[in-house]
Amino acid sequence: MERSDRRRDADGDDKDGKTWSLQKTERKSTTLGAKPPAGAVVLFDGSNADQWQGGKVDARGFLQCGTKSKQSFGDCTLHIEFRTPFRPGARGQAGGTAGCISKIATRCRCSIHLGSRGENNECGGIYTIAKPLVNMCFPPLSWQTYDIDFEAARYDNDGRKTKNAVMTVKHNGVLIHEHVEVPSATRAAGHPEGPEKGPIQLQNHGNPVFFRNIWLVEKK
């Protein structure tokens, strides 16, 4: 489970003269800041956006959404860190949707959203396919993590699909999808299913969502 760092936020006395104190709990992912293992493909380390098509890095060293990787991938384990904005006057997707994490191989979309209900179109959901086992969405401006194990769909020599894609996902260090079959390309995936590899895409929904520490390990 995720760890919590506590600190005293305020204290005082009540009307009966008894002392009280309030503590603020800040949740942090157990995989936050995870280092890429030997042999990993480092897609973003804060220094530049050379691995991304039209990628832009702001003055803080964060990658902006609205880009996709120059390389294409199939079976892999992906680590990515993201931050949603604080937009208290916004509602629905305007409240902090990045437009997904990745669309791995351009077909399977795992959403980034300021989710409160744990639905399949909110943070942690495999878009339109499966809602998370538990809603692990952190508050706005918190850094969050996805660790995604992806197995691409399989096809025979005639191009017929023989096995669905499969995803296992940890959100902020907690298992939220375990070996979930993805029977078709998720809605808004931007590309039909097929045997070809595809890029990692960070879709832009017009919201200031940022990314850091992106790497993956390809499965042979």
Side-chain angles (χ1 to χ4, degrees):
M1 296 295 287
E2 80 278 10
R3 62 179 179 267
S4 297
D5 295 328
R6 292 181 177 271
R7 68 177 188 270
R8 176 166 291 188
D9 187 57
D11 55 31
D13 297 323
D14 63 18
K15 64 179 181 179
D16 297 321
K18 295 181 179 179
T19 300
W20 55 264
S21 63
L22 297 177
Q23 290 182 323
K24 180 179 179 179
T25 299
E26 182 182 357
R27 298 190 297 172
K28 292 184 178 180
S29 169
T30 56
T31 67
L32 193 69
K35 303 297 183 183
V41 178
V42 178
L43 292 173
F44 184 68
D45 63 4
S47 60
N48 60 66
D50 292 350
Q51 300 295 321
W52 299 87
Q53 299 181 32
K56 296 180 180 179
V57 182
D58 72 4
R60 300 165 296 178
F62 302 155
L63 181 65
Q64 300 179 27
C65 58
T67 183
K68 60 183 176 182
S69 63
K70 294 178 179 179
Q71 293 179 259
S72 292
F73 306 98
D75 295 359
C76 64
T77 298
L78 173 69
H79 174 86
I80 190 166
E81 300 179 10
F82 62 95
R83 193 182 78 165
T84 58
F86 179 56
R87 306 185 73 182
R91 294 293 182 269
Q93 290 193 350
T97 296
C100 73
I101 190 245
S102 80
K103 295 185 183 173
I104 299 173
T106 72
R107 297 170 180 86
C108 295
R109 170 176 169 174
C110 197
S111 297
I112 288 175
H113 191 286
L114 187 60
S116 60
R117 296 174 298 172
E119 300 294 340
N120 64 26
N121 65 338
E122 294 184 339
C123 207
I126 300 176
Y127 193 54
T128 71
I129 301 294
K131 62 183 181 180
L133 295 172
V134 59
N135 183 0
M136 282 304 302
C137 186
F138 285 175
L141 302 180
S142 302
W143 280 103
Q144 306 190 56
T145 62
Y146 274 143
D147 293 277
I148 301 175
D149 186 84
F150 176 74
E151 297 176 15
R154 298 296 192 259
Y155 293 82
D156 62 22
N157 292 334
D158 296 321
R160 292 189 294 263
K161 187 167 72 168
T162 60
K163 184 176 180 294
N164 289 329
V166 175
M167 296 178 71
T168 294
V169 182
K170 288 184 177 180
H171 182 195
N172 292 324
V174 176
L175 183 68
I176 62 169
H177 296 289
E178 185 173 15
H179 206 72
V180 174
E181 287 197 25
V182 183
S184 62
T186 56
R187 201 176 78 193
H191 198 284
E193 273 197 309
E196 304 85 5
K197 295 181 179 181
I200 308 299
Q201 184 170 350
L202 306 175
Q203 191 183 36
N204 185 2
H205 268 275
N207 297 304
V209 178
F210 296 95
F211 302 86
R212 69 182 188 187
N213 193 22
I214 308 173
W215 51 263
L216 63 79
V217 177
E218 296 183 272
K219 298 180 182 180
K220 305 300 183 182

